[in-house]
Amino acid sequence: MANKEALRELQSRLAERLQAARFETSAVAWLAVECAGQGVLLPLAQAGEIFGLPTLMPVPHTSDWFVGVANLRGRLHGVVDLAGFLGLRANAAIELRREQSRLVAFNPTLELNCALLVDRLAGLRGVEQLQPDPDGAPRPAFAGTRYVDANGRRWQELQLVALASDDAFLRIAR
């Protein structure tokens, strides 16, 4: 019970900081999330509301990473397991019911009723906390800069605007 309360408090504080960060005009800021143990940065300006994991209605004959449809504030959203889509996890159903899993909706300005299932929220990050990683490995068009934090952990930025127009993503998510 205490874990649930602490998790709710963290989510509440994170939501407040997320809202405040959206109004700041300073440096670049991201919502940091974890997917299959990998650090992922979602630009605050492109991310929408964060939700707990609701009941998901499965959709037959779709990709494994499309885990279903959810009612989020009265609107139906397709739910994509981000780790599955990125090829970091083969079977989305294995970790689907983790207590820390969250849905991050796309910003309404992107006009995509879709939410990304992430394993865990990791807080907010600013450009001053990260250094660009010179790793020149090939990445898809929606993958932005790769960064390293002070602890040596790598974080991959994902451009949700580009993801929302990716052919593989759109075939299922729209």
Side-chain angles (χ1 to χ4, degrees):
M1 195 67 142
N3 284 342
K4 283 188 179 186
E5 287 181 29
L7 193 55
R8 271 187 233 138
E9 269 184 47
L10 172 66
Q11 189 173 359
S12 176
R13 284 193 316 268
L14 188 56
E16 288 172 9
R17 288 181 59 203
L18 181 62
Q19 191 66 19
R22 284 195 174 133
F23 292 110
E24 292 176 5
T25 57
S26 62
V28 178
W30 298 278
L31 173 64
V33 299
E34 290 185 12
C35 297
Q38 302 295 311
V40 177
L41 300 171
L42 306 175
L44 286 179
Q46 298 172 23
E49 192 171 350
I50 299 168
F51 297 92
L53 195 58
T55 301
L56 298 174
M57 298 302 297
V59 178
H61 311 294
T62 60
S63 296
D64 288 341
W65 47 264
F66 189 81
V67 293
V69 176
N71 181 344
L72 304 176
R73 295 210 189 272
R75 298 183 67 191
L76 292 180
H77 285 68
V79 177
V80 171
D81 174 38
L82 186 57
F85 178 77
L86 296 174
L88 302 173
R89 176 172 40 236
N91 186 353
I94 292 173
E95 296 190 38
L96 189 57
R97 290 292 168 195
R98 291 183 49 192
E99 215 174 280
Q100 295 181 342
S101 295
R102 294 288 178 263
L103 298 181
V104 179
F106 280 69
N107 189 301
T109 61
L110 298 178
E111 298 180 354
L112 185 64
N113 284 355
C114 186
L116 301 174
L117 173 66
V118 299
D119 295 340
R120 184 174 93 73
L121 299 175
L124 298 176
R125 299 293 186 277
V127 71
E128 68 282 351
Q129 297 171 290
L130 303 166
Q131 297 295 318
D133 185 2
D135 177 16
R139 293 186 283 277
F142 54 81
T145 306
R146 183 173 290 164
Y147 294 93
V148 178
D149 65 18
N151 297 324
R153 180 161 188 193
R154 287 195 168 121
W155 294 90
Q156 176 63 59
E157 177 184 31
L158 292 185
Q159 293 295 328
L160 297 181
V161 170
L163 181 62
S165 61
D166 181 76
D167 287 339
F169 189 81
L170 283 178
R171 270 189 293 237
I172 302 296
R174 269 213 194 253

